[in-house]
RNA sequence: CGGGGAGUAGCGCAGCCUGGUAGCGCACCUGCCUUGGGAGCAGGGGGUCGCAGGUUCAAAUCCUGUCUCCCCGACCA
């Protein structure tokens, strides 16, 4: 591609509304442009990277035996009613009506549609195992889209769905996808980790997330420093070994704590550690129960775990009015003593004695509090968020380290959730109906591109991993008005292209400085500089974007050596 | 949706407090000059100041409403 015939506008300055580096660089390199919140156009340079990732995904899906198809983006409400998700999904599902007032939605995921296809087409156990995938635009009306392609409302996703007659088959399908995902992200040049995850509202029994390690990641993950266990903090189990409850040694005492509302405030006011406090959270469930949740002062509530314990879909922190009403005190002074609510507590609380809680009265706390003696806990459970330093639940002696990650892929064992709802069954060898076991497997394509940039950049711009680079080689033609320079560049351009190399020829009449800056920004892995100086010496300069190393190529063999280099490096990624 | 911030040329910003000619840098166009790390000179194009209403002789500026965007939280590939 010739720069002068391409659509590629780089920005010298960073647009003010881009926060994370991948978003900034995608805007500065002209990969994407925003059309509305969370909705982007992929400009030519950006689309090339997207297509590269798609191609890797396609190759690995095919290799793993999955079959590509394409489902519609607009899907009828009827199907969603069958699974119950028309009601469950909420505002994230963008609903619309056609001219006849029939209801539809833009597909946020395609379990319903694929299950409908399979129940119509697949009648016999002989037709499974089957794994179908598509690469398609999804729409989720996210509450808060952000960070460019990292969390868009409209985004390109690869989604695959496996169907098996029994659980053993489903496990094999899951494992195949898991392995395929590892290959995909390795081939994309990403440093990632597969972690155990919560299944969220997709449902199902088990799942792993593929997390690209990055400071800007929206997810917190923990991993064991001595075994293989790694999990999203939403999911990570806390090791708790029940011991004897420590004995109470202090009487219940009321203390004045004027205007000390937060755990940090109270701890420093009373000159005690935060772990000596118990925090009392007043929460409301989606079935309208208001209850109190107790956690050690330095621990964080994990709402997903709480939901699982309560058997509900959602818990919300109670609003100020509710807190005031049930505790009789303003927010900041709630405590379990004398509280007329169901109290459930994290395991850690059962190992505490003589702790501090709010007294349900303004500017007042209790010290010397003990559960059992001063209040009753209905249920103890694992309710808190895992954190660095916690003991590993899977091995002896390991402790957690914590990371931030970008979720680029997620694999789920769905079991019968959708196949039962939509009655996707086959006849087995005995002529009996068997409900299909399903799995579903997603990859965020655009997010993977963004994640690759998060991991591969420096202060000058992007450093593309070769397999997903929009172009493999950039020729920087220093002075297009110099005939020797122009002819040499043109010849190299032609030679490389005919050898199948993807090359961007910077034939603009710009000064060298601008061209070098743009080359660094665009981050094409190999850069060949063609200038009068080199030509006089009969050589071209090859510079590697990743490490800045330079190599002098004799003119006569330049093309051939570049081709060999691209081929060799590409081979290393497969 | 709750909390915070911002809308002035494609991008980055000033002007607003104290009402009166819409401005700067980059980018873009023309010419000259220059060609190994974002040159220089000269000329030029581009704006319903987010939108609507109000106050006023006069509104980017003051008032009211509204929309959009960004950041923090819940959601997720």
């Amino acid at each position: 591609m010739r720069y002068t015939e391409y659509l590629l506008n780089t920005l010298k300055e960073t647009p003010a509304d881009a926060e994370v580096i991948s978003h900034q660089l995608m805007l500065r390199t002209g990969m994407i442009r925003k059309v509305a919140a969370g909705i982007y156009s992929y400009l030519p340079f950006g689309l090339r990277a997207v297509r590269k990732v798609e191609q890797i995904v396609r190759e690995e899906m095919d290799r793993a035996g999955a079959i590509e198809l394409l489902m519609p983006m607009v899907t009828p409400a009827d199907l969603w009613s069958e699974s119950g998700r028309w009601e469950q999904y909420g505002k994230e599902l963008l609903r619309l009506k056609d001219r006849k007032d029939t209801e539809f939605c833009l597909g946020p995921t395609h379990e319903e549609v694929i299950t409908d296809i399979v129940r119509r087409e697949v009648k016999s156990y002989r037709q499974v195992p089957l794994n179908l995938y598509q690469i398609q635009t999804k729409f989720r009306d996210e509450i808060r889209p952000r960070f460019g392609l990292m969390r868009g409302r409209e985004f390109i996703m690869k989604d695959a769905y496996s169907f098996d007659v029994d659980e053993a088959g489903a496990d094999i399908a899951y494992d195949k996808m898991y392995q395929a995902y590892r290959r995909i992200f390795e081939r994309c040049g990403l440093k990632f980790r597969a972690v155990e995850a919560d299944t969220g509202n997709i449902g199902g029994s088990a799942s792993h997330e593929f997390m690209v390690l990055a400071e800007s990641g929206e997810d917190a993950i923990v991993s064991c420093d001595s075994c293989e266990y790694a999990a999203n903090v939403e999911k990570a189990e806390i090791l708790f070994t029940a011991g004897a409850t420590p004995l109470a040694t202090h009487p219940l005492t009321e203390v004045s704590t004027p205007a000390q509302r937060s755990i940090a405030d109270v701890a420093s006011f009373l000159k005690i550690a935060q772990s000596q406090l118990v925090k009392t959270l007043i929460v409301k469930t989606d079935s309208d129960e208001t209850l109190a949740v107790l956690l050690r002062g330095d621990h964080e509530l994990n709402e997903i775990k709480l939901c699982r314990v309560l058997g509900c879909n959602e818990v919300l922190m109670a609003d100020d009015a509710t807190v005031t009403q049930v505790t009789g005190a303003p927010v900041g002074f709630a405590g379990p003593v004398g509280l007329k609510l169901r109290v459930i507590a994290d395991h850690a609380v059962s190992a505490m004695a003589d702790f501090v809680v709010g007294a349900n009265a303004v500017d007042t706390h209790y010290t010397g509090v003990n559960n059992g003696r001063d209040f009753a806990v209905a249920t103890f459970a694992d309710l808190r968020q895992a954190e660095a330093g916690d003991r590993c639940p899977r091995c002896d002696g390991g402790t957690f380290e914590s990371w931030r990650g970008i979720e680029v892929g997620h694999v789920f064992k769905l079991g019968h959730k959708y196949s039962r709802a939509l009655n996707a069954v086959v006849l087995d060898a005995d002529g009996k109906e068997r409900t299909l076991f399903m799995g579903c497997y997603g990859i965020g394509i655009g997010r993977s591109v963004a994640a690759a940039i998060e991991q591969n950049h420096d202060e000058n711009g992007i450093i593309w991993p070769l397999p997903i680079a929009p172009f493999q080689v950039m020729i920087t033609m220093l002075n297009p008005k110099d005939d020797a320079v122009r002819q040499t560049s043109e010849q190299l351009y032609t030679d490389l292209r005919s050898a199948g190399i993807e090359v961007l020829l910077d034939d603009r009449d710009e000064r060298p400085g601008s061209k070098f800056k743009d080359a660094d920004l665009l981050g094409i892995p190999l850069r060949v500089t063609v200038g009068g100086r080199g030509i006089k010496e009969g050589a071209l300069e090859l510079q590697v974007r990743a490490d800045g190393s330079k190599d002098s190529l004799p003119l006569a063999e330049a093309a051939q050596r570049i081709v060999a280099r691209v081929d060799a490096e590409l081979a290393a990624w497969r």
Side-chain angles (χ1 to χ4, degrees), chain A residues 25 184 211 219 324 400 421 478 482 510 541:
Chain A
L25 288 173
I184 287 167
M211 291 286 187
D219 288 275
T324 308
F400 282 164
L478 284 187
D482 177 323
E510 288 287 338
E541 181 184 291

Side-chain angles (χ1 to χ4, degrees), chain A residues 418-435:
Chain A
Y418 298 95
S419 46
R420 183 174 292 136
L422 300 199
N423 196 34
V425 299
V426 293
L427 292 184
D428 67 12
D430 301 323
K432 278 205 302 242
E433 280 195 350
R434 302 273 290 266
T435 302

Side-chain angles (χ1 to χ4, degrees), chain A residues 95 173 231 233 247 339 440 513 517 547 570:
Chain A
R95 299 156 206 259
V233 292
L247 292 177
L339 197 62
C440 76
K517 287 287 183 191
D547 59 13
L570 232 33

Side-chain angles (χ1 to χ4, degrees), chain A residues 144-288:
Chain A
R144 189 154 90 81
R146 61 179 149 183
F147 301 157
L149 294 194
M150 206 82 96
R151 175 180 299 283
R153 290 193 292 173
E154 187 182 288
F155 59 99
I156 302 171
M157 175 170 162
K158 185 284 302 182
D159 45 326
Y161 306 88
S162 67
F163 296 86
D164 285 273
V165 76
D166 56 24
E167 194 160 9
D171 289 347
I172 292 169
Y174 184 85
D175 193 53
K176 272 191 188 168
M177 284 295 107
Y178 184 95
Q179 297 306 334
Y181 274 38
R182 296 199 68 91
R183 292 185 55 91
I184 287 167
F185 297 123
E186 273 162 22
R187 285 186 58 187
C188 288
L190 293 167
K191 288 181 273 300
F192 67 96
R193 187 129 193 191
V195 307
E196 292 186 17
D198 184 74
T199 52
N201 71 0
I202 302 279
S205 59
S207 90
H208 284 87
E209 288 168 333
F210 288 79
M211 291 286 187
V212 167
L213 306 175
E215 266 313 302
S216 59
E218 295 183 272
D219 288 275
I221 53 188
V222 289
S223 62
C224 177
D225 60 7
S226 74
C227 76
E228 285 304 297
Y229 184 72
N232 194 308
V233 292
E234 292 175 347
K235 167 81 176 178
E237 300 151 30
I238 307 288
L239 182 67
F240 178 76
T241 28
T245 304
L247 292 177
T249 59
H250 287 61
L252 184 68
T253 310
E254 207 176 279
V255 294
S256 170
T257 49
Q260 308 298 309
R261 292 163 183 275
S262 70
I263 290 291
D265 288 346
V266 176
S268 68
F269 182 80
L270 297 176
K271 298 188 171 56
I272 55 172
Q274 295 190 14
S275 57
Q276 281 295 107
L277 276 75
V278 165
K279 62 174 127 184
T280 305
L281 305 175
I282 307 297
V283 301
K284 265 188 163 164
T285 69
D286 51 358
S287 49
D288 244 10

Side-chain angles (χ1 to χ4, degrees), chain A residues 17 123 174 222 237 340 357 367 369 384 426 474 486:
Chain A
D17 55 6
K123 302 292 183 191
Y174 184 85
V222 289
E237 300 151 30
K340 291 186 175 52
V357 300
T367 61
V369 183
R384 73 174 173 94
V426 293
M474 179 155 182
R486 174 163 281 281

Side-chain angles (χ1 to χ4, degrees), chain A residues 243-419:
Chain A
T245 304
L247 292 177
T249 59
H250 287 61
L252 184 68
T253 310
E254 207 176 279
V255 294
S256 170
T257 49
Q260 308 298 309
R261 292 163 183 275
S262 70
I263 290 291
D265 288 346
V266 176
S268 68
F269 182 80
L270 297 176
K271 298 188 171 56
I272 55 172
Q274 295 190 14
S275 57
Q276 281 295 107
L277 276 75
V278 165
K279 62 174 127 184
T280 305
L281 305 175
I282 307 297
V283 301
K284 265 188 163 164
T285 69
D286 51 358
S287 49
D288 244 10
E289 183 188 358
T290 302
L291 60 133
V293 178
L294 305 186
L295 291 161
R296 204 171 80 186
D298 57 331
H299 288 160
E300 294 300 322
L301 174 66
N302 180 324
E303 294 184 15
I304 291 168
K305 288 179 177 177
L306 179 59
C307 282
R308 215 174 286 136
V309 170
L310 295 174
C312 65
N313 289 317
E314 196 180 17
V315 290
L316 292 172
M317 296 302 294
D319 53 54
D320 292 6
T322 308
V323 172
T324 308
Q325 187 212 323
V326 300
T327 67
V331 173
F333 302 98
V337 180
L339 197 62
K340 291 186 175 52
L341 288 177
R342 177 153 73 123
V343 175
I344 80 167
D346 181 65
H347 285 308
V349 174
S350 71
M352 296 172 69
D354 302 327
F355 45 86
V356 173
V357 300
N360 299 323
V362 68
D363 294 348
T364 314
H365 281 74
Y366 284 124
T367 61
V369 183
N370 288 275
N371 83 66
R373 185 190 73 183
D374 303 321
F375 65 93
V377 172
T379 314
F380 282 101
D382 175 10
L383 298 176
R384 73 174 173 94
Q385 201 99 290
E387 53 192 35
D390 285 341
R391 285 151 65 209
C392 176
R394 297 291 166 81
C395 72
D396 237 358
T399 55
F400 282 164
E401 298 175 318
S402 65
W403 314 81
R404 307 246 3 133
I406 300 165
E407 183 192 356
V408 290
H410 203 158
V411 294
F412 298 85
K413 289 184 187 179
L414 288 177
H416 284 149
K417 177 167 175 175
Y418 298 95
S419 46

Side-chain angles (χ1 to χ4, degrees), chain A residues 54-72:
Chain A
E54 287 180 356
Q55 189 51 33
I56 290 170
V57 167
R58 202 167 262 129
E59 286 171 20
E60 294 301 333
M61 284 294 107
D62 292 349
R63 184 205 297 265
I67 307 165
E68 186 169 8
L69 50 51
L70 185 60
M71 291 176 266

Side-chain angles (χ1 to χ4, degrees), chain A residues 528-546:
Chain A
V528 187
T529 304
V530 183
R533 206 163 77 187
I535 290 175
K536 268 188 208 124
E537 295 162 11
L540 301 180
E541 181 184 291
L542 178 67
Q543 186 170 351
V544 179
R545 176 66 180 91

